[in-house]
């Protein structure tokens, strides 16, 4: 069994910063990729940033230059540093990991979501 627990969301003024964390625990053998998605009210969930096990990163155009994804592989944790936040960044942020369990099951796992609200 695998669990992803997120933290770090909250309310911030435009121009401010937040750092999200997501730690995975349980029967993890290896992690192939980690990422952050977000879903704003009335909109579809979208990829914000992703990082593969080799370190290759990808970002949505809307966050390039402002957000940075990073990992602590020893702790099975992924971070999202968000700077220069804008009201349009307001959403529920979900972490996601593609991982192999100790039972040799490959799957995609989601965190519970954390709210980020940016006031103007």
């Amino acid at each position: 069994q695998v669990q992803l627990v997120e933290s770090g969301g909250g309310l911030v003024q435009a121009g401010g910063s937040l750092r999200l964390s997501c730690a995975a625990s349980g029967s993890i053998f290896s992690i192939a990729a980690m990422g952050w998605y977000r879903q704003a009210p009335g909109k579809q969930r979208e990829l914000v940033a992703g990082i593969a096990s080799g370190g290759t990163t990808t970002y949505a155009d809307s966050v390039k230059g402002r957000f940075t994804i990073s990992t602590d592989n020893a702790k099975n944790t992924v971070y999202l540093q968000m700077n220069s936040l804008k009201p349009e960044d307001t959403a529920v942020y979900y972490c996601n990991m593609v991982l192999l369990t100790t039972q040799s099951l490959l799957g995609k796992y989601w965190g519970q979501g954390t709210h980020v609200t940016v006031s103007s």
Side-chain angles (χ1 to χ4, degrees):
Q1 195 168 2
V2 174
Q3 284 189 321
L4 273 59
V5 178
E6 303 174 24
S7 61
L11 173 64
V12 65
Q13 287 188 331
S17 298
L18 283 175
R19 190 192 195 206
L20 306 183
S21 301
C22 174
S25 62
S27 305
I28 301 168
F29 180 76
S30 64
I31 300 175
M34 303 181 186
W36 289 93
Y37 289 71
R38 68 185 179 188
Q39 187 166 19
K43 295 188 177 181
Q44 288 189 328
R45 190 173 296 189
E46 62 174 354
L47 175 67
V48 176
I51 184 167
S53 58
T56 302
T57 58
T58 186
Y59 294 93
D61 288 342
S62 59
V63 307
K64 283 180 181 176
R66 301 188 297 122
F67 291 10
T68 303
I69 189 170
S70 62
T71 64
D72 183 336
N73 294 326
K75 296 181 179 179
N76 291 333
T77 299
V78 61
Y79 305 97
L80 185 67
Q81 178 66 43
M82 305 185 293
N83 299 327
S84 302
L85 282 161
K86 304 176 181 180
E88 50 263 44
D89 294 318
T90 295
V92 179
Y93 284 71
Y94 298 90
C95 72
N96 169 274
M97 295 189 188
V98 178
L99 58 87
L100 185 67
T101 71
T102 54
Q103 291 77 38
S104 299
L105 297 174
L106 181 66
K108 201 170 190 179
Y109 294 83
W110 293 91
Q112 79 281 8
T114 186
H115 288 262
V116 171
T117 303
V118 184
S119 63
S120 57

